[in-house]
Amino acid sequence: MSTNINNKSSIVNNSNEEFNYFTLNKKVFNELILIPRPKSNLFQIMVHLACKVTYKNGLVGVHSEIYKSGLAKELGIDKSDITGYLKQLEDLKFIKIFNTTPLVLQVLEVPQAPTFNDIKAVLLYIHINPQQFNFHRNLKRRTVFFETFKEYNSQILVEKIKKSIVPEDHPSNPTTEEIEDIFGFNE
């Protein structure tokens, strides 16, 4: 039996249509679905969060603002239960929550995502990589996001400045001869 693939199909090669994909590790499926007691709500939340992550870093709540109550409403879960479910997912090490209102978290099952220790590390990463969140185009969202975390901004800028020290052997640094003869007397 053979399968014929038609590469000229309008469905396969339609450049106008964009498909959206999400990824989750098999560990999520195995631990949340294939276990004796059902954890379908946890799996449902993980799938929903996986659809909202930014591709390279697994962050949720940066590209668009999200609240626990809105998440519960979208999924049809009681508002009072969503905090417990998120805590369970964090205990299972599937997510890491950095902020609760608005919700900023990282889905840890995204492959090759950087790991962050706290909200300051997340904000520093976002400052350095705005293009990953479309902040270079969506300036309104960028303003709203950083306005939410304005108490950290000065600390982040200090960290950014500390990391931007030019190494001594950088080609733009003057040599010792140039420093000693800044007025060009030796020429």
Side-chain angles (χ1 to χ4, degrees):
M1 179 185 217
S2 66
T3 304
N4 293 327
I5 298 174
N6 182 2
N7 287 337
K8 295 179 181 167
S9 170
S10 63
I11 295 172
V12 174
N13 290 324
N14 186 352
S15 61
N16 296 333
E17 189 172 349
E18 189 174 307
F19 296 104
N20 292 322
Y21 299 95
F22 72 91
T23 181
L24 280 176
N25 194 311
K26 288 181 185 177
K27 176 180 154 187
V28 173
F29 182 77
N30 289 335
E31 289 193 27
L32 297 182
I33 294 297
L34 301 177
I35 54 174
R37 56 194 165 97
K39 292 186 178 180
S40 59
N41 282 343
L42 295 180
F43 185 72
Q44 186 181 10
I45 293 168
M46 280 301 295
V47 168
H48 189 75
L49 292 176
C51 290
K52 290 192 172 287
V53 300
T54 47
Y55 176 69
K56 290 185 179 181
N57 44 54
L59 291 171
V60 176
V62 178
H63 195 271
S64 59
E65 200 165 76
I66 183 171
Y67 289 90
K68 289 190 281 186
S69 59
L71 181 65
K73 185 177 179 183
E74 283 183 51
L75 297 173
I77 298 171
D78 191 82
K79 285 185 206 180
S80 59
D81 295 336
I82 194 73
T83 302
Y85 289 140
L86 290 172
K87 179 73 175 125
Q88 286 178 38
L89 289 171
E90 192 170 34
D91 291 344
L92 288 167
K93 302 212 183 313
F94 290 147
I95 64 172
K96 186 171 185 178
I97 299 173
F98 299 108
N99 195 59
T100 53
T101 307
L103 193 58
V104 176
L105 60 89
Q106 184 180 29
V107 176
L108 299 175
E109 296 302 316
V110 172
Q112 299 179 349
T115 54
F116 305 107
N117 296 329
D118 57 6
I119 189 67
K120 287 187 271 184
V122 171
L123 294 171
L124 183 60
Y125 179 83
I126 295 166
H127 264 293
I128 294 169
N129 302 295
Q131 70 284 355
Q132 289 184 15
F133 307 95
N134 267 346
F135 280 177
H136 61 295
R137 291 189 188 124
N138 191 350
L139 298 177
K140 184 178 178 186
R141 175 65 191 139
R142 178 185 179 153
T143 304
V144 169
F145 179 78
F146 284 114
E147 198 57 34
T148 305
F149 300 101
K150 63 183 170 191
E151 70 268 14
Y152 297 111
N153 272 343
S154 61
Q155 296 169 358
I156 289 167
L157 292 175
V158 168
E159 289 296 319
K160 197 172 178 183
I161 290 167
K162 283 181 187 176
K163 290 184 177 190
S164 66
I165 295 171
V166 179
E168 286 183 29
D169 61 343
H170 194 275
S172 68
N173 283 345
T175 62
T176 52
E177 292 112 18
E178 290 173 329
I179 291 171
E180 291 173 6
D181 187 27
I182 58 172
F183 296 109
F185 292 126
N186 291 336
E187 291 179 10

